[in-house]
Amino acid sequence: MSSILQFPAQDARTAPEPISAVEALKLAEPLAAQLAASAVARDQAGGHAREERELIRASGLLALTIPTQHGGMGAPWPTFYRVLRRLAQADSALAHVFGFHHLQLAGVLLYGNEPQQQRLLGQTLAQRLFWGNALNPLDKRLLATDTRTGYRLDGIKSFASGSVGSDWLTISAWHAPTQTALIGVVPTEAPGVSVNADWDAFGQKQTDSGTVAFDAVDLAAQDVLQAPGIAPTPQATLRSQIAQLIMANLYLGIAIGALQDALRFNREQARPWFQSGVGASADDPFIQHRYGELWLKVRPAEVLADTAATALQHAWERGPSLTAAERGDVAIAVAEAKVLSHRAAIDIGSQLFELTGARSTSGRFGLDRFWRNARVHTLHDPVDYKLRDLGRYALTGAHPEPTAYS
Amino acid sequence: MSSILQFPAQDARTAPEPISAVEALKLAEPLAAQLAASAVARDQAGGHAREERELIRASGLLALTIPTQHGGMGAPWPTFYRVLRRLAQADSALAHVFGFHHLQLAGVLLYGNEPQQQRLLGQTLAQRLFWGNALNPLDKRLLATDTRTGYRLDGIKSFASGSVGSDWLTISAWHAPTQTALIGVVPTEAPGVSVNADWDAFGQKQTDSGTVAFDAVDLAAQDVLQAPGIAPTPQATLRSQIAQLIMANLYLGIAIGALQDALRFNREQARPWFQSGVGASADDPFIQHRYGELWLKVRPAEVLADTAATALQHAWERGPSLTAAERGDVAIAVAEAKVLSHRAAIDIGSQLFELTGARSTSGRFGLDRFWRNARVHTLHDPVDYKLRDLGRYALTGAHPEPTAYS
Amino acid sequence: MSSILQFPAQDARTAPEPISAVEALKLAEPLAAQLAASAVARDQAGGHAREERELIRASGLLALTIPTQHGGMGAPWPTFYRVLRRLAQADSALAHVFGFHHLQLAGVLLYGNEPQQQRLLGQTLAQRLFWGNALNPLDKRLLATDTRTGYRLDGIKSFASGSVGSDWLTISAWHAPTQTALIGVVPTEAPGVSVNADWDAFGQKQTDSGTVAFDAVDLAAQDVLQAPGIAPTPQATLRSQIAQLIMANLYLGIAIGALQDALRFNREQARPWFQSGVGASADDPFIQHRYGELWLKVRPAEVLADTAATALQHAWERGPSLTAAERGDVAIAVAEAKVLSHRAAIDIGSQLFELTGARSTSGRFGLDRFWRNARVHTLHDPVDYKLRDLGRYALTGAHPEPTAYS
Amino acid sequence: MSSILQFPAQDARTAPEPISAVEALKLAEPLAAQLAASAVARDQAGGHAREERELIRASGLLALTIPTQHGGMGAPWPTFYRVLRRLAQADSALAHVFGFHHLQLAGVLLYGNEPQQQRLLGQTLAQRLFWGNALNPLDKRLLATDTRTGYRLDGIKSFASGSVGSDWLTISAWHAPTQTALIGVVPTEAPGVSVNADWDAFGQKQTDSGTVAFDAVDLAAQDVLQAPGIAPTPQATLRSQIAQLIMANLYLGIAIGALQDALRFNREQARPWFQSGVGASADDPFIQHRYGELWLKVRPAEVLADTAATALQHAWERGPSLTAAERGDVAIAVAEAKVLSHRAAIDIGSQLFELTGARSTSGRFGLDRFWRNARVHTLHDPVDYKLRDLGRYALTGAHPEPTAYS
């Protein structure tokens, strides 16, 4: 029976061993340090992080989740999420770009056929390509019209994460004859595609998000991953769980990064309050007590995120045999992790200042970026509907309905 | 390398396999059902639960943690805690009696020498003995005076859990010449020992707690587990972590029991509010949302309790090699689980009524017992000092000081 | 323009001055002390509090809200609620009986005509009558059939607060021909009326609540306060706001009583935790901090309850001129007070024990009665729908729909 | 007996009537609108708000708290705080500058003698002068040396709110011979005074805070408000309560401003979540419920801030007769308001986004400024010590020790 820490064994006879979590984190560590060094400055400046994308490319980690039989590192989901979380501690915007690159690769694996996987993953590896997301299915303004060789795409997709500076995009487009959406891939440089870097949120500034316009773009049949009119299998709907758990780990990375920076500030810079009767801020009982509370926001999120990653990996390994109920159990585990991570990030990002004090609000420390990044990112989909999903499951046993967000 | 789900391997050549978690839970299940059947009635009546003790005895589970080389079931700590939690869902008072029985056995293993273990655990098995606790070290009113054959005990111990109806007691007694406490074992029926069932709290009524009076009680040398003047090793101080994790799992059992009873009430008995616009209470979005919140109180407590049990088992298997730092890591893991379980029990025990509504307060449902049991039991030691311990560790890396409570 | 602390001036030429808040509280103080003396014992025993009702009668406070022109004390609502809250600190069950007596009198003033007021309030004064409530309009099992002289009543009303031991009842009954409810008054001793003391909740035990059965009971026309088919005026719908604010002040009384008892315990009985480094429990910084938090639960509830009472009094004085919008503003103010009081009572009733510690759970202190009383009483109607009403008002300006609960 | 809404009556025979709250708010309204119009842009740009200071000057409100006998508007404290709160809804940074101007005027009234009041307040009125604060007593780096005509000042004061662009400064300076601080006033343009606009926090950007350097600055005897070696009277220590209540009202203004902007966004711009089943965001029951929660954060803070302002005014009117106990009661009332306002601002500033959703994070709305402003400003002094003060008072009756922060 295959262990949860190995990729599905179908070609494992010939393919090399997947990368271990320890090795993957070793690759991530220097990258995280590089990102951290400029994170405060880049948070203030905003804009496209061209150089930092090159650092990611150079780390080799764009191949992290590509199966070993396709020449990649073959990291199972728990390893990927650990790496993602580590990067998010340093820079949650670039970690998002990194995470969504791998989400697109998962899409190729979940929706694409073998030749498509071979071609697209092969190119990705060979040319160190970056993938961006233009798949938001709630935005139905991009239309696909049938042509002799495939489809013609016209319209726009907004909130396309990682689109600015990407090489390939995954897209969804509304197909009127079938009243369904198709899913395909398009080179960002394809004729008729233009990316407008219009993301202007107060946090997660460097997620390279934008609005992608398509003007008579040719989508060849070979670039269609899921044709219109196809009802998605439970396996295919794992994509939204992979995406949700990316969110959770980004939030968690923010929470951990915030907690670490705050602890460092209290150890190294904070002064004891004049009424505290202690010689160092770290000895103030109220400060110790509050750090105990913040600690108890991070730890549950951490263990439940790990639990969810393991559950996802099990489901992933089930392949096409995955049942709706098994998929639903993953959705519950992911929802648990997402809500807890959401709250950890928001609460720690905001409450850390009660501990670090007035001087820690100087712009040169950039400690407000944790709250701003968490605040912007945690609005991806409303937490109240996740809580409802969890409560409804507890009450009735009904799993969350598979959607792009659940 | 020995797995965390097996008992230390030293004598595993000859000793039978320890019981599996699945088997142990199978034994616990009918016992839990028996306890649940009368739990509401016994909560109201209070008093000594003689018959229910017999049910526990009959289940064979008094041998659960006795190592297989001594003839017991050899359950590792994670298995024991799962069983404990299951029983606590049904009846947290008798689960406490059960848990503290095993705590005393752990004391024999941690403090006692090989012949003591052989004799005391052997007798426990052969005669299905029940152990009670009279070890509270903050209570220094029990004095040990040197005699030719051991010590003479005089004084009292209050809050002695499980003492009423027990066969043996573990005791601590203050030894003036060395200004330290000794630890020993005494048959409850020994001449000079008398147990006063004076426990009158508004919850955990049937924990068989009492005040034990010792009047010139003879403590033979062979019944001294830890002589006066001995500084406890890190291994020996694991006892307080075992005790703390018993508390955590009792709280967690209460939380789970409360949540299950509440869910059942909403499914089967609650009526929708006239302004809700839905036909069943379980379809009210506010009720679903709140259950999502309660669910997220139980789940983190559950996974962190399991994580702590695994950490404890690792430390237990280290035996005398256990370092202070390793012991400290267990204390942190246990503190995390204890605080979360504490809050889950109190919050769910109190908030469930917002969901089940006015009719659920009828005395015949006994749903208030969860809050009362949790409220009484969670005061064992103050949660604020646990939070301080966690925060101080985060700030400075200092582990909790080993005490009877940390 | 009449002050908010005086009763409407219509007959003030001849009527004596209404009682002042100071005088009313002076009457309440010894009664509160008497109730407090036996509150723990009576909470444990439950049952009908015949003697304590006599103490209330003897205090004269049954006349508190009867207008001076009818011979009563004429207390305005703010004074009544202060007295109610004071009594609830001592005994929230009997305070409920007291509060609901005055709610019935308010019903006579709001629905009854001048001769009815004269007769019923006059009798109440002269014979020191106690009123009970059988008006729950969600319970439609009591039917009114037209007769030549009025109506015939058949059926039952459950959850009739204060019915056991009452002299008169206010009732609502469903009138099929008009598909509406009538409101009337019935002597509890009238032929065909029987009260079954079936209230068995785990808190608020002595509210003398029961199920009232009506078997061919004659309701004379002169005892009908509101005939069937009459749409209630904004003034008439004030009754539910008076009731809701009674709830709020009962909760608040519980919260204050709990806080006071807890503070006393910490001052007089609690021991400092051995790791606190202080000589008295009251000097522990964590305990001080937590009391700061509890204090901040009581104070807002207090000031908003007072604010709501003033708003209610203004609306009351507007008489038949009261508009729906003015009535809606009262409902918002009352909802604010009710939610905050609800939470203060539940939170303090449960959290006080973190401060008072393990020894405070002894049954002889009865400190759990605050949580039990609050828990039972705060389920009168769901807090989530109050929050929804407040949020909807903030969003849209829509006032709560007038119902029996809003 | 003088009403709480009138200034002490000593010269009321000749002085004109003080401004009413209604009139004062009428003056504040257009100013608030002007500040609001550019608040988002100025929050992003930061820097000195020269033009907006001129708008404040033009409004006449710099005279708001100057007693009528000195030619000012004579607003009592409750009126001043209402105006301050209104301005803070629009722009909490400039409201702080405005508030601290009046704090300095209060200092002149509390510490200065009659001729000093006459001269300084007269000049302030005649020349529409702006006052800044350099009084932080925890910063002892500014030294006063005796000279023949007064003192010579050398050193620096950091975190001097409103110093940039001010006309006069209130200063405290350490006087070594007496080991106490003196309090005086200095023209910002005085020889040797230089203001360095070094404030770089991520919120409250335009508070014109800076570090003031004093190089052999001459402090004439007539500009000394409180000579060294003088123990402050209870009346004098009211200054820190005035300052604390300024903080509370600034926080409250932020909370109200945030709530209003959020409500407007939900009404006008937010889209309903696709799973909500409603046609408008404002009809989503979860959104209504959450707004109910936010509403209940603002309302208690509001009523307790008003209660505290009334208490302060009473104490102010007591003048030199004010006792330490009476001063202590004010400190309790102010502490209540400050903690609640602190939390309302932080919580609403952060949580509003759960309601307004992802699109509301666009930089063009600037909705993050509420959290950033609240976060920076609420760190003035630690909330945990306020909670301790409240709890200690509840436990022991001890009032907060008079300090610059309590």
Side-chain angles (χ1 to χ4, degrees), chain C residues 263 266-267 282 288-289 291-293 295-296 299-300 303-304 336 339-340 343 384 387-388 391-392 394-395, chain D residues 263 267 282 288-289 291-293 295-296 299-300 303-304 336 339-340 343 384 387-388 391-392 394-395:
Chain C
L263 284 165
N266 272 90
R267 283 189 214 112
Q288 294 179 343
H289 191 272
Y291 270 117
E293 294 283 7
W295 182 265
L296 287 179
R299 285 287 292 142
V303 291
L304 284 166
E336 291 169 354
V339 178
L340 291 174
R343 291 181 172 173
D384 286 331
L387 285 163
R388 186 207 60 173
R392 191 171 56 186
L395 275 161
Chain D
L263 285 164
R267 283 188 213 111
Q288 294 178 344
H289 191 273
Y291 270 117
E293 293 283 8
W295 181 266
L296 286 179
R299 286 288 292 142
V303 291
L304 284 166
E336 292 170 353
V339 177
L340 292 174
R343 290 178 173 175
D384 285 332
L387 285 163
R388 185 207 60 173
R392 190 172 55 186
L395 275 161

Side-chain angles (χ1 to χ4, degrees), chain B residues 6 23 27 88 114-115 130 171 212 278 280 345 372 398:
Chain B
Q6 288 163 3
E23 290 170 82
L27 293 177
E114 183 59 28
F130 245 116
I171 60 105
V212 188
V278 295
R372 283 187 291 99

Side-chain angles (χ1 to χ4, degrees), chain A residues 259-283:
Chain A
L259 184 59
Q260 288 179 340
D261 270 24
L263 285 164
R264 190 178 308 120
F265 196 94
N266 272 89
R267 283 188 214 110
E268 298 174 7
Q269 308 220 19
R271 304 178 185 177
W273 182 242
F274 79 102
Q275 297 179 309
S276 67
V278 294
S281 160
D283 295 332

Side-chain angles (χ1 to χ4, degrees), chain D residues 14-66:
Chain D
T14 55
E17 280 292 295
I19 194 168
S20 72
V22 169
E23 290 170 83
L25 285 165
K26 258 189 211 156
L27 293 177
E29 201 53 47
L31 175 58
Q34 287 171 311
L35 294 177
S38 56
V40 171
R42 287 181 295 106
D43 165 65
Q44 278 157 11
H48 178 44
R50 192 180 313 273
E51 283 178 44
E52 285 69 27
R53 279 201 183 235
E54 291 310 314
L55 297 174
I56 296 175
R57 240 189 261 274
S59 75
L61 287 166
L62 291 183
L64 183 61
T65 60
I66 298 179

Side-chain angles (χ1 to χ4, degrees), chain A residues 365-381:
Chain A
F365 301 122
L367 289 174
D368 60 321
R369 73 188 189 283
F370 297 108
W371 178 83
R372 284 187 290 101
N373 288 336
R375 192 60 290 182
V376 167
H377 219 55
T378 50
L379 302 176
H380 180 264
D381 54 289

Side-chain angles (χ1 to χ4, degrees), chain B residues 31 35 53 56 61-62 64-65 77 80-81 83-85 87-88 91-107 130-133 161-162 170 204 206-207 239 241-250 377:
Chain B
L31 175 58
L35 294 177
R53 281 200 181 236
I56 296 176
L61 287 167
L62 291 182
L64 183 61
T65 61
W77 291 111
F80 162 70
Y81 287 118
V83 167
L84 180 68
R85 197 190 300 172
L87 298 181
D91 182 330
S92 55
L94 278 151
H96 178 77
V97 172
F98 173 79
F100 262 44
H101 163 81
H102 288 286
L103 176 62
Q104 313 315 313
L105 299 184
F130 245 116
W131 286 71
N133 184 56
S161 291
T170 315
Q204 290 291 87
Q206 292 197 310
T207 49
R239 187 188 189 273
Q241 295 309 318
I242 295 169
Q244 290 277 307
L245 197 49
I246 285 175
M247 294 294 160
N249 279 282
L250 291 170
H377 219 54

Side-chain angles (χ1 to χ4, degrees), chain A residues 8-348:
Chain A
Q10 59 263 35
D11 289 327
R13 296 165 311 237
T14 56
E17 281 291 296
I19 194 169
S20 71
V22 169
E23 289 170 84
L25 284 165
K26 258 189 210 156
L27 293 177
E29 200 53 49
L31 175 58
Q34 287 170 310
L35 294 177
S38 56
V40 171
R42 287 181 296 103
D43 164 65
Q44 277 156 12
H48 178 44
R50 193 180 313 272
E51 284 178 42
E52 285 68 28
R53 280 202 183 234
E54 291 309 313
L55 296 174
I56 295 175
R57 240 189 261 274
S59 75
L61 287 167
L62 291 183
L64 184 61
T65 60
I66 298 179
T68 52
Q69 59 268 42
H70 292 298
M73 294 178 180
W77 289 112
T79 297
F80 162 69
Y81 286 118
R82 292 284 298 279
V83 167
L84 180 69
R85 197 190 298 172
R86 178 65 193 87
L87 298 181
Q89 289 174 39
D91 183 331
S92 57
L94 278 150
H96 178 77
V97 172
F98 172 80
F100 262 43
H101 163 80
H102 288 286
L103 176 61
Q104 311 316 312
L105 299 184
V108 172
L109 289 163
L110 288 170
Y111 303 129
N113 54 33
E114 181 61 26
Q116 286 174 326
Q117 293 180 12
Q118 200 76 28
R119 174 170 56 93
L120 293 168
L121 300 176
Q123 274 184 39
T124 300
L125 270 177
Q127 304 169 36
R128 298 184 163 203
L129 301 181
F130 245 117
W131 285 71
N133 184 56
L135 198 128
N136 174 4
L138 287 190
D139 182 352
K140 295 184 175 169
R141 292 172 297 170
L142 177 58
L143 304 176
T145 325
D146 295 270
T147 64
R148 279 186 312 158
T149 58
Y151 301 89
R152 174 184 149 145
L153 303 175
D154 291 280
I156 62 169
K157 278 281 172 186
S158 51
F159 294 110
S161 290
S163 60
V164 180
S166 67
D167 301 300
W168 277 86
L169 294 168
T170 315
I171 60 106
S172 72
W174 187 249
H175 182 251
T178 58
Q179 288 290 301
T180 63
L182 63 75
I183 295 173
V185 295
V186 176
T188 313
E189 298 301 318
V193 174
S194 57
V195 179
N196 179 17
D198 57 2
W199 172 251
D200 73 338
F202 59 73
Q204 290 293 85
K205 289 182 185 170
Q206 293 198 311
T207 50
D208 281 342
S209 191
T211 295
V212 188
F214 299 79
D215 180 15
V217 173
D218 188 52
L219 178 69
Q222 68 166 358
D223 286 345
V224 177
L225 299 183
Q226 188 182 277
I230 306 292
T233 62
Q235 182 188 22
T237 65
L238 275 184
R239 186 188 188 272
S240 54
Q241 294 309 318
I242 295 170
Q244 290 277 308
L245 197 49
I246 285 176
M247 295 294 160
N249 280 281
L250 291 170
Y251 306 164
L252 185 49
I254 294 173
I256 296 171
L259 184 59
Q260 288 179 340
D261 270 24
L263 285 164
R264 190 178 308 120
F265 196 94
N266 272 89
R267 283 188 214 110
E268 298 174 7
Q269 308 220 19
R271 304 178 185 177
W273 182 242
F274 79 102
Q275 297 179 309
S276 67
V278 294
S281 160
D283 295 332
D284 185 321
F286 294 135
I287 287 183
Q288 294 179 344
H289 192 273
R290 276 188 186 265
Y291 270 117
E293 293 282 8
L294 298 190
W295 181 266
L296 286 179
K297 290 181 183 293
V298 162
R299 286 289 292 142
E302 228 169 32
V303 293
L304 284 166
D306 288 344
T307 301
T310 299
L312 172 64
Q313 181 64 21
H314 277 296
W316 178 264
E317 293 175 13
R318 297 270 294 125
S321 320
L322 187 74
T323 66
E326 290 166 343
R327 192 269 182 201
D329 288 345
V330 174
I332 292 298
V334 170
E336 291 170 354
K338 183 146 173 282
V339 178
L340 292 174
S341 299
H342 172 137
R343 290 180 173 176
I346 292 294
D347 290 353
I348 296 176

